[in-house]
C-alpha cells in the first residue's frame, strides 16, 4: 500500500511531564540490527527492477525510518522495487538479530508495568512477523506499521495511535528512535523524544535535532522508567 509523502510542522513538546508509563520504539536500528539484511534485500530488488549497476543503499539508508514507497519517491526509484524488497526481507528475516541488551531491557520494562509499543517505517504485518520470530512480540501492547496510519513519520500520527491504544497520554510517554524523523514524530505527538546511538548511523544529525534524551545502550532507558504507577 502506498501513499503520498506528507510534511508536518513540528512543535515543541509540552513542558509538563509526568512519570513515564509507556515507551514507543522505532524498530530497525533500535530494537533489531537489520542493516545487513536490508542492504542485501535492497540490492536484489534494485537488480531485478532497475538493472545493472551498484544499488544506492547509502542514499536509501539516509531515509531510514520512512515508509518504503515514500523512500522510493524521494530517491526517484520505481515503486515496483517494493515487492522484491519485501519478499527478500521475509526470506532473510531469520538473519536479523536483536541488538545486545534489548531483550533484557524490554523484559525489565515489562516487569515494571511500562506499556510498550512499536511505531515503525515497516509495514505492520512484516514488523509483527519479525518480532514474533525473535520471541518478543508478546512484550508489546501495540505494533503499528507505516501502512496502518494515514500519515507515516515524521507526522505524529503513528505515535499518537500507539499511545491511544496503550491508553497512556503523550506527556507520560517516550518515543525512542535512531532517526531524526523518529524524534520529530515523537516530539510533535507531545512525547519525550529519545535518541539512540547504538545503531552507528549519523549520530551528529541525530544530536543536532535536539532530542530530549540521548541513550547509548538499551539499559540506559531503565533509569528513566521506574516502575509504573497503577492508574
Amino acid at each position: 500500500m502506498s501513499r503520498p509523502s506528507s510534511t508536518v510542522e513540528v512543535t515543541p513538546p509540552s513542558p509538563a511531564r509526568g512519570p513515564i508509563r509507556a515507551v514507543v520504539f522505532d524498530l530497525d536500528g533500535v530494537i533489531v540490527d537489520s542493516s545487513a539484511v536490508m542492504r542485501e534485500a535492497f540490492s536484489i530488488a534494485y537488480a531485478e527492477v532497475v538493472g545493472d549497476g551498484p544499488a544506492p543503499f547509502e542514499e536509501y539508508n539516509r531515509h531510514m525510518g520512512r515508509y518504503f514507497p515514500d523512500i522510493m519517491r524521494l530517491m526517484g526509484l520505481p515503486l515496483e522495487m517494493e515487492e522484491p524488497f519485501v519478499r527478500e526481507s521475509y526470506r532473510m528475516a531469520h538473519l536479523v538479530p536483536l541488538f545486545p541488551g534489548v531483550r533484557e531491557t524490554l523484559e525489565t520494562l515489562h516487569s515494571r508495568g511500562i506499556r510498550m509499543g512499536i511505531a515503525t517505517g515497516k509495514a505492520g504485518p512484516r514488523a509483527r512477523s519479525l518480532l514474533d520470530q525473535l520471541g518478543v512480540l508478546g512484550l508489546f501492547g501495540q505494533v503499528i506499521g507505516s501502512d496502518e496510519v494515514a500519515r507515516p513519520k515524521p507526522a505524529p500520527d503513528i505515535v499518537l495511535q500507539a499511545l491511544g491504544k496503550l491508553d497512556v497520554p503523550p506527556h507520560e510517554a517516550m518515543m525512542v528512535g535512531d532517526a531524526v524523523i523518529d524524534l520529530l514524530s515523537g516530539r510533535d505527538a507531545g512525547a519525550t523524544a529519545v535518541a539512540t546511538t547504538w545503531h552507528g548511523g549519523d549520530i551528529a544529525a541525530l544530536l543536532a535535532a535536539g532530542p530530549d534524551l540521548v541513550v547509548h545502550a538499551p539499559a540506559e532507558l531503565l533509569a528513566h522508567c521506574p516502575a509504573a504507577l497503577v492508574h
Side-chain angles (χ1 to χ4, degrees):
M1 176 181 176
S2 61
R3 58 173 61 84
S5 301
S6 57
T7 302
V8 297
E9 289 190 10
V10 176
T11 54
S14 166
R17 298 288 181 188
I20 297 299
R21 296 175 50 227
V23 181
V24 178
F25 295 90
D26 179 44
L27 182 58
D28 296 293
V30 177
I31 299 295
V32 298
D33 187 0
S34 54
S35 182
V37 163
M38 283 195 290
R39 179 185 289 273
E40 181 68 12
F42 184 80
S43 297
I44 292 171
Y46 186 87
E48 284 189 17
V49 177
V50 179
D52 295 335
F57 182 76
E58 298 310 319
E59 182 182 355
Y60 172 84
N61 203 40
R62 289 197 293 271
H63 299 297
M64 194 63 65
R66 292 181 182 270
Y67 191 36
F68 189 86
D70 290 344
I71 299 177
M72 294 300 94
R73 293 188 188 93
L74 289 168
M75 295 180 65
L77 291 174
L79 294 179
E80 288 78 12
M81 283 183 60
E82 183 177 21
E83 189 280 327
F85 178 82
V86 170
R87 181 196 72 220
E88 293 302 310
S89 296
Y90 269 114
R91 182 178 67 83
M92 295 184 285
H94 65 286
L95 301 175
V96 178
L98 294 169
F99 277 105
V102 163
R103 186 184 304 274
E104 296 81 0
T105 298
L106 294 176
E107 290 173 348
T108 300
L109 290 172
H110 188 263
S111 72
R112 292 180 178 182
I114 303 296
R115 300 176 188 180
M116 293 184 290
I118 293 285
T120 176
K122 270 184 167 58
R126 189 153 64 95
R128 290 185 286 272
S129 174
L130 179 58
L131 290 166
D132 188 36
Q133 186 167 297
L134 289 164
V136 295
L137 180 61
L139 297 174
F140 296 99
Q142 286 295 317
V143 177
I144 302 174
S146 286
D147 60 324
E148 297 169 328
V149 291
R151 300 183 304 164
K153 292 180 282 188
D157 303 37
I158 195 166
V159 177
L160 291 171
Q161 181 171 316
L163 292 175
K165 291 180 178 294
L166 293 172
D167 195 26
V168 175
H171 70 274
E172 295 183 351
M174 291 177 169
M175 172 62 199
V176 180
D178 66 315
V180 171
I181 64 167
D182 297 320
L183 304 182
L184 299 180
S185 181
R187 182 176 297 151
D188 205 35
T192 297
V194 182
T196 64
T197 64
W198 55 81
H199 51 90
D202 190 348
I203 305 301
L206 198 60
L207 299 182
D212 298 309
L213 291 171
V214 180
V215 291
H216 304 291
E220 291 182 18
L221 287 168
L222 300 176
H224 305 284
C225 302
L229 300 174
V230 177
H231 282 231

